[in-house]
Amino acid sequence: METILANLAVGFSHVFQPLNFAVLVIGVVLGLLVAVLPGLTLVMGVVLALPFTYNMSVIPAIILLTAMYISGTYAGAWTSILFRVPGEPIDVPLLWDGYPMARKGQAAQALGWTLIAAFFGGMVAAITMVLLSQPIAKIALTFSTPEYFAVILFGLASVVSLGGSSLAAALVSLFAGLLIASVGVDDTYGAHRFTFGVPILTDGIDYLIVMVGAYGLGEVFMRLEQGFKSPQLEAVGKIRTRLPTLREMLALKTTFARGSLTGILIGTVPGAGATVASFLSYGIEGQYGKRKRLMGTGIPEGIVAPQCAATASVGGAIIPLVTMGIPGSGATAIILGAFLLHGLQPGPQVFQTSSHIIYAMFASVFVGIVVMCAIGYFATKPMVKVLDLPEVIISAYVVMCCLLGAFAARNNLTDLWLMVIFGIIGYLLERFRFPITPMVLGVILGPLAETNFMTTMISYGNDWTIFFTRPVSGILMVVALLTLVYPLIRHSLHKRASVA
């Protein structure tokens, strides 16, 4: 323990050097900007920053990218909660309860809960990262494709059960999302699926187009139908940045702990990342939380669970990166590239040869979270003030962000038309009370589930029982199936009781 603390102190001394600290602040601000703008994903932002690190020494380079990674998991909450426009998939679960809170005039409270959740989840994960990095990395290393598929299936099943009063509508929406995700060229066999000879469909339909169109444009179309006459919000001038009290936070201590633990565990699984952690944490809260029946109506638990998990996944994802050289997410894959560009191979030996660099990275996580929360606290009120603008102007801003995001995905004008189509689909789903969330979830997680399923089938000779005979995947598969079946049984029992 003394050695770890001594090394961490050395890491802090590197981070607080003027140049390194300035780089950290720049990285936090860039991460916040990237996360706010739909179309610029966290991974894309880290990739764009990588060339600027070529002429840096390794420590400021790693600090810059790590700071962007941390803040990129947080700032998307602003647009999700205020405008119902998620910056990227991580932020989708945040809007399910955050946006209803904003519409009820509780935008400042919702952003306050997001800030506290990001701070708590990030700090718990950072401490875990420092103390338990090697043992957790060894456990995660035993995971293979059956476990990945089981984790993703559990995430799909958990959110489908939250699809609203109609499970059938949720399943229809989910399967529509999975169908959309299957458009394009099959990664395993190279077969064309549902392309109809249209070149743009050969590359598939980007999840960003579906996500931004269905949520962003769909909401604008709904407001257009209502004549932009939504109920008046609380006067912005009276809104104060409101952090939850200690008593309020203690009331949600289980949600904080559950979300942080989920984020850390999922973060250590290579390839899972913050998106799976965020969705899974929301689903778990909806299944086992004290107020699970109120999830989706605008309660703090629906914000705390996914935000804790998303930020905590950063610390979790860094563990396999530094101890085994295995990136736990897309962003850490870019950071791995930065290590290699500077002639450093992460792995067990790096703690012996270059521990000062690794512990500088660990220290930058702690300091980055504090700087991110400080900037987030003071930026909250200006962001809330935007709600005071006329709804037509806000809607125009949303449309502009949606169009920029769609074009940035592949620099193709056809994507703009696709996004408009998905905006109409989102509007129709909302109009006829079909949940949008399962569709978006299917588009995001569908390809991951397919890849891991097909790889498992090929690797194990088409033996599907492998999902149940491996201990970890078997447990996850059973839990996923129970999660899917339980709402059916509950609905059947409720219907029978109503008839009686």
Side-chain angles (χ1 to χ4, degrees), residues 161-395:
S161 66
L162 302 171
S165 56
S166 173
L167 182 61
L171 288 173
V172 168
S173 181
L174 174 66
F175 287 128
L178 293 174
L179 181 64
I180 293 167
S182 68
V183 173
V185 177
D186 173 23
D187 290 336
T188 306
Y189 297 106
H192 288 240
R193 299 184 303 199
F194 309 113
T195 57
F196 306 107
V198 179
I200 189 67
L201 294 180
T202 304
D203 295 332
I205 298 174
D206 197 295
Y207 65 81
L208 200 67
I209 305 298
V210 179
M211 186 176 68
V212 174
Y215 279 121
L217 277 189
E219 174 67 12
V220 172
F221 290 151
M222 282 297 293
R223 294 186 184 189
L224 178 63
E225 183 190 30
Q226 298 164 359
F228 297 108
K229 294 179 180 177
S230 295
Q232 188 65 38
L233 300 175
E234 179 184 349
V236 173
K238 297 178 181 178
I239 293 178
R240 296 288 184 271
T241 302
R242 182 185 180 282
L243 295 178
T245 63
L246 180 60
R247 185 176 182 180
E248 290 173 328
M249 287 189 282
L250 288 176
L252 269 61
K253 58 181 182 296
T254 308
T255 304
F256 276 104
R258 200 159 35 212
S260 300
L261 182 61
T262 302
I264 294 169
L265 291 177
I266 296 300
T268 58
V269 178
T275 300
V276 175
S278 178
F279 277 100
L280 187 59
S281 180
Y282 189 92
I284 291 173
E285 188 64 27
Q287 286 290 315
Y288 306 108
K290 286 184 179 177
R291 298 200 292 171
K292 57 186 178 184
R293 295 182 184 279
L294 297 179
M295 292 287 283
T297 62
I299 59 174
E301 288 91 330
I303 297 173
V304 171
Q307 185 63 66
C308 265
T311 310
S313 71
V314 175
I318 290 175
I319 292 172
L321 170 67
V322 297
T323 59
M324 299 292 172
I326 299 173
S329 64
T332 48
I334 308 304
I335 296 175
L336 173 62
F339 271 114
L340 298 176
L341 280 171
H342 290 83
L344 193 66
Q345 173 64 58
Q349 72 284 355
V350 81
F351 284 88
Q352 305 297 325
T353 60
S354 307
S355 63
H356 64 291
I357 297 175
I358 299 303
Y359 280 94
M361 184 182 188
F362 287 170
S364 70
V365 174
F366 286 97
V367 179
I369 291 169
V370 174
V371 173
M372 174 190 76
C373 291
I375 295 176
Y377 178 82
F378 291 108
T380 297
K381 188 173 181 179
M383 292 300 295
V384 174
K385 276 184 175 295
V386 177
L387 286 175
D388 201 28
L389 294 171
E391 194 168 338
V392 174
I393 293 179
I394 294 176
S395 297

